[in-house]
Amino acid sequence: MTSIGSPSPFFFGGKKAYAVDRSLRFNHGDSPYLSFTPSSTGNQKVWTFSAWIKKTAVTNDRHYIYSANYGNSAYFALYFDDDELYTYFDPGNNYGSVSGRKFRDVGAWFHIVHQVDAANTTQRIWINGTEMSLNSSRNPGNNNYPINQASKPIVIGKHSWGSDYYIDMYLAEVHYSDGNKYEPSDFAETNAITGQWIPKSPSITYGTNGFYLNFSDTSSLGADSSGNSNNFTPNNFSVAAGAGNDSLED
């Protein structure tokens, strides 16, 4: 994947570059998503999500990156709406744009880290290592949210409470830590030669329901490589040869 790292063993300053072998394409028209249902409850107030994203469409539709819900009484989501980042925290029914920044580049990869600390009523978001200035009124309240809750699915690629709002993008190097706060430098670094923000091999604690999805196993696209065996079920993806293949080297 030449844009965010190379599968070839390149060396920079005597250091071997971290290899990213594959990404997973989420083609909106196919209604694709990944789902994992925790068997035990973890931390419902603190977590960190990290992923590399390449958007494939500019749209005013909603595109849910990851989400969870508890019936009709509690929700969490990170998503794009009209190409702005939104969050949704309920209890509190707090949803809306976290910043006025527009994400309309469909030709480049970018790295996002979403850190939530509801116990201290804060959230932080970084893009390519730079922290965004967020609307503090969108921060979570000091509540337990439905993510990391036993028997409640964590869904990547659509909203978890219905069959709609599928994403149109590529994802790679998806890390999720249940109960721990991490920052961009835990997942990526600046290349000393090129100045490019690139992935690295993180040393993090994943927690009860944490996971690492690198999409390297085409026979099991939702395989968890964190060691937790929190495997996701893939829905509506194809690994067949040709233009419909969703498991890609670039």
Side-chain angles (χ1 to χ4, degrees):
M1 187 177 298
T2 55
S3 297
I4 65 172
S6 173
S8 301
F10 293 130
F11 288 81
F12 297 101
K15 180 180 178 182
K16 185 177 179 180
Y18 179 68
V20 177
D21 293 325
R22 287 188 176 271
S23 65
L24 185 63
R25 181 179 67 168
F26 291 72
N27 182 31
H28 181 276
D30 297 330
S31 303
Y33 66 98
L34 300 167
S35 179
F36 159 65
T37 302
S39 60
S40 59
T41 296
N43 194 316
Q44 294 179 256
K45 294 185 178 183
V46 177
W47 66 87
T48 303
F49 176 89
S50 169
W52 289 82
I53 294 174
K54 182 165 74 169
K55 297 186 70 179
T56 57
V58 175
T59 176
N60 60 4
D61 199 3
R62 295 176 185 172
H63 293 256
Y64 282 72
I65 302 170
Y66 75 116
S67 64
N69 78 291
Y70 178 74
N72 292 318
S73 61
Y75 303 89
F76 162 74
L78 175 71
Y79 60 105
F80 288 108
D81 190 358
D82 194 21
D83 298 310
E84 293 182 16
L85 271 173
Y86 278 57
T87 54
Y88 188 2
F89 293 99
D90 188 56
N93 198 34
N94 184 357
Y95 63 93
S97 175
V98 297
S99 171
R101 178 173 176 174
K102 297 285 188 179
F103 292 82
R104 291 175 170 163
D105 189 346
V106 296
W109 286 91
F110 67 89
H111 180 223
I112 184 170
V113 174
H114 183 215
Q115 181 199 97
V116 177
D117 183 359
N120 289 298
T121 66
T122 62
Q123 66 173 331
R124 301 171 71 186
I125 298 175
W126 294 264
I127 302 296
N128 291 337
T130 300
E131 187 166 6
M132 294 179 63
S133 178
L134 303 185
N135 180 351
S136 61
S137 67
R138 299 303 179 211
N139 286 345
N142 187 6
N143 302 303
N144 285 325
Y145 292 98
I147 202 162
N148 297 323
Q149 185 172 352
S151 77
K152 305 305 175 186
I154 299 172
V155 178
I156 297 174
K158 76 176 184 71
H159 69 47
S160 59
W161 50 94
S163 298
D164 206 348
Y165 301 125
Y166 299 93
I167 61 176
D168 235 339
M169 61 187 71
Y170 296 79
L171 292 182
E173 289 292 288
V174 179
H175 295 273
Y176 177 81
S177 178
D178 170 2
N180 301 283
K181 295 192 296 182
Y182 292 105
E183 299 188 6
S185 59
D186 293 300
F187 306 98
E189 60 190 355
T190 300
N191 182 275
I193 305 299
T194 66
Q196 185 181 19
W197 187 249
I198 60 173
K200 72 177 186 180
S201 179
S203 179
I204 67 172
T205 299
Y206 287 94
T208 301
N209 297 306
F211 52 85
Y212 166 36
L213 307 179
N214 60 22
F215 311 119
S216 61
D217 185 354
T218 58
S219 66
S220 182
L221 292 175
D224 173 23
S225 296
S226 74
N228 280 350
S229 297
N230 291 329
N231 300 311
F232 279 68
T233 300
N235 296 271
N236 303 321
F237 295 97
S238 173
V239 294
N245 179 26
D246 296 313
S247 177
L248 302 169
E249 295 182 353
D250 196 351

